[in-house]
Amino acid sequence: MRPYVYITRKLSDTVIAPLRQKFTVNMWGHEEIPVPKDVLQSEAKKADGLLTMLTDAVDESVLSAGQQLKVVANMAVGYDNVDIQAASREGIAVCNTPDVLTDSTADLTFALLMATARRIVEAAQFVKEDRWKSWSPFLLAGHDIHHKTIGIVGMGKIGAAVARRAAGFEMNILYHNRTRKTEIEEKTGAVYASFDELVEQADFIVCLTPLTSETRNMFTRNIFQKMKRTAIFINASRGPVVNEQDLFAALAAGEIAGSGLDVFEQEPIHSEHPLLTLPNVVALPHIGSSTIETRTAMMKLCVDNIEAVLTGKRPKTLINKEWLQKV
Ligand code: DGY
């Protein structure tokens, strides 16, 4: 019997070809619609390997559904959608896609910062709507980026890549992280700050922390009230790190100047979402790593990880290292 691999989204046949050579592969037939939970559960019952998306709740009910599941390869660097403890208990390897997406996610984060500060989306719309009558001194005037202070919350690999970009813009760089990162400090001039110092002093507060029980609801009204009234808040990590009602209230009350958001508490959001009614919000549909090159590299890494585990090798990017002791 060839091992069975289930893929929870329609991916390109070329990328998954190496899996088809060795395993029986089946995949959910839609690119834009997530697999329903009952389908995921019944596929997990039969599968040796699952290739999942960040939209799939890979919880205990999925992980304990079958007897032969050996690997879950999640196509994201974040893995808050996977119950890692349950996977380890069940002897299932869980893999993610770090490194390959670092630079493109940092590019998008910086683009979002720039778009929000320089009102790029509003300005492009202004031209398209034929509202441009003349050059004028304060036409769509935004906020400077160069020489301002950026505060990076979460100095992982993507945080470090954003710091390198900020250094190129001659920004002062503050960061907050569970641990000090002296190498990044030396390379970029970033200075460690407490969370409160960072939110009080930064002109741009950039959230890049993973979603954990400690970071959930980290940005609440009282935190926004500590920020400068000219501050711009960027979130490119996970929506639930921010209390969206509080963010809306802070923006509506003019307690901060703007926000660029690539992620939301409940995705997707729709046009009636309160944050979308504000002119100083730039909202994107969770596209941090979405370039053709990077998404292809993420898919390939998932394929490699599944192939490795199902052929008895160590996967490249294993999250639950305790799995190694069980095999
Ligand atoms: C990730 O990899 O966690 C990103 O959010 C996906 O774009």
Side-chain angles (χ1 to χ4, degrees), residues 8-11 27-35:
T8 66
R9 210 59 81 93
K10 191 172 184 317
L11 301 186
M27 75 186 153
W28 177 241
H30 304 274
E31 246 175 75
E32 289 183 17
I33 306 170
V35 69

Side-chain angles (χ1 to χ4, degrees), residues 101-123:
L101 50 59
T102 300
D103 283 312
S104 45
T105 308
D107 286 348
L108 190 281
T109 305
F110 215 82
L112 183 55
L113 182 158
M114 295 189 76
T116 313
R118 297 302 305 268
R119 304 173 64 184
I120 304 284
V121 179
E122 242 183 304

Side-chain angles (χ1 to χ4, degrees), residues 111-174:
L112 183 55
L113 182 158
M114 295 189 76
T116 313
R118 297 302 305 268
R119 304 173 64 184
I120 304 284
V121 179
E122 242 183 304
Q125 202 56 30
F126 182 83
V127 177
K128 278 195 177 164
E129 289 170 359
D130 214 11
R131 288 158 56 206
W132 186 18
K133 302 298 172 221
S134 151
W135 181 92
S136 63
F138 280 115
L139 179 62
L140 288 155
H143 299 263
D144 274 342
I145 296 161
H146 63 89
H147 299 99
K148 291 281 186 76
T149 298
I150 186 172
I152 300 171
V153 179
M155 191 55 103
K157 288 175 184 166
I158 300 170
V162 169
R164 290 196 293 276
R165 283 149 181 78
F169 279 74
E170 301 181 71
M171 299 179 88
N172 306 310
I173 306 166
L174 298 178

Side-chain angles (χ1 to χ4, degrees), residues 175 181-191:
Y175 77 99
K181 298 286 178 103
T182 45
E183 202 181 309
I184 298 163
E185 291 178 16
E186 278 156 26
K187 277 198 182 133
T188 64
V191 174

Side-chain angles (χ1 to χ4, degrees), residues 232-289:
I232 289 179
F233 175 72
I234 305 295
N235 188 11
S237 68
R238 286 292 183 269
V241 171
V242 178
N243 183 314
E244 267 171 23
Q245 276 189 350
D246 287 2
L247 174 60
F248 174 81
L251 285 161
E255 289 161 5
I256 62 171
S259 185
L261 303 165
D262 185 40
V263 288
F264 298 87
E265 275 178 11
Q266 295 286 332
E267 296 176 1
I269 59 165
H270 298 286
S271 54
E272 63 277 10
H273 192 291
L275 283 166
L276 297 184
T277 64
L278 300 174
N280 49 352
V281 168
V282 176
L284 302 178
H286 202 151
I287 54 165
S289 59

